[in-house]
Amino acid sequence: MTTDTRYNGWTNYATWRVNLEVFDGMTAVEICGDLDDPYKVGKVLREYAEEIIEPSAKGLALDYAMAFLADVDWEEIATHLIEVGA
């Protein structure tokens, strides 16, 4: 038995949700400048999302938020944002 964890065409729920709520309508160029390597862009995107969360969350809420971000496929979002900006 296989379990399909894809969500609305994305790797998983966390990836879909972060893309929708944090990066929707943006391009990689807006966030990362002229970077076009999905791995490097993905690292910048993760840092960007963490910077949004860290000032407003503390303790257990921060732990849960960071655990949620750990499930995100950052390279998938990066590839999408690079394609949108092309």
Side-chain angles (χ1 to χ4, degrees):
M1 182 170 117
T2 60
T3 303
D4 185 7
T5 59
R6 294 192 65 78
Y7 195 88
N8 286 339
W10 292 87
T11 298
N12 56 30
Y13 176 75
T15 303
W16 169 78
R17 182 87 183 254
V18 168
N19 180 68
L20 177 68
E21 294 194 12
V22 178
F23 301 111
D24 189 41
M26 301 174 89
T27 66
V29 173
E30 292 173 310
I31 302 166
C32 307
D34 62 354
L35 284 177
D36 62 356
D37 174 23
Y39 176 76
K40 291 178 181 176
V41 172
K43 287 180 72 170
V44 173
L45 297 178
R46 183 177 189 143
E47 290 170 6
Y48 182 88
E50 288 173 352
E51 287 174 6
I52 292 170
I53 291 169
E54 287 177 341
S56 60
K58 293 182 179 23
L60 187 59
L62 178 60
D63 292 344
Y64 276 106
M66 298 308 270
F68 188 80
L69 292 182
D71 287 340
V72 172
D73 184 337
W74 297 102
E75 286 187 50
E76 182 178 12
I77 296 174
T79 300
H80 171 72
L81 294 180
I82 290 167
E83 290 173 357
V84 167

